Amino acid sequence: MRLLLVEDDRMIGESLVRGLGDDGYHVDWVRDGPAAAAALADPQAAFALVLLDWGLPRQDGLSVLKDLRARHSLVPVLMITARDAVSDRIEGLDAGADDYLVKPFALAELKARIRTLLRRQEARATAEIVHGTLVVDPVRHEVQLRGERVGLTPREFSLLRVLLSRPGVIHSRAQLEQALYGWNEAIESNVIEVIIHTVRRKLGAAIIENVRGVGWRIGQAP
Ligand code: CA
């Protein structure tokens, strides 16, 4: 899953990129308001969620958020801020933030809130994603097929997670590359096919359906 982090504090930014990367998220990090606005306006960049600092150089986070919602974007936004007055929190939530975390915060709490927002976005009531006999646990990063644990690499897990997040929807190669990799990563032309191949080898060929010339979607429930 690809997240956009908007944070001007270098230490916090570096620790979040590392900490969230450990959980298999790909984090694109920008450091000011205009860069955030440009990233969010990029139709190719399919962010699953935005972590948005309030106090930013040149354009503050609240203004970035208002612009985003004015364009009718539904991407979940978690605001991160040092401002903990009740009136600030209300202003952030009223402007379209989905959640609010006051600095300093524990990484574990941020991760839990991210999982909650993603779950809500995907209209799931529980943490586990169940697709027939396939059970994906985004908390533990575990996959079980017919009760047996199957080991997936972080990229394989992300690909499965992206396809399962929108059953029935066909994802093009470009969309999957965007979801799994950041702007600065060099991608080999057949990398998505390679990942799909290994996921199918581990979970059965039918788990991912190829729609010729268009892309891929999650297959019938095993
Ligand atoms: Ca800041």
Side-chain angles (χ1 to χ4, degrees), residues 7-8 53 55-56 103:
E7 170 61 76
D8 58 314
D53 185 28
L56 291 170
K103 293 175 185 172

Side-chain angles (χ1 to χ4, degrees), residues 21-70:
D22 288 344
D23 273 15
Y25 296 109
H26 181 86
V27 182
D28 286 306
W29 177 19
V30 296
R31 302 173 192 208
D32 64 31
L40 290 166
D42 178 358
Q44 284 293 310
F47 297 109
L49 183 141
V50 182
L51 301 170
L52 182 60
D53 185 28
W54 186 312
L56 291 170
R58 291 194 276 286
Q59 182 185 2
D60 73 24
L62 191 67
S63 158
V64 171
L65 176 62
K66 284 178 175 168
D67 290 351
L68 180 69
R69 294 306 186 217

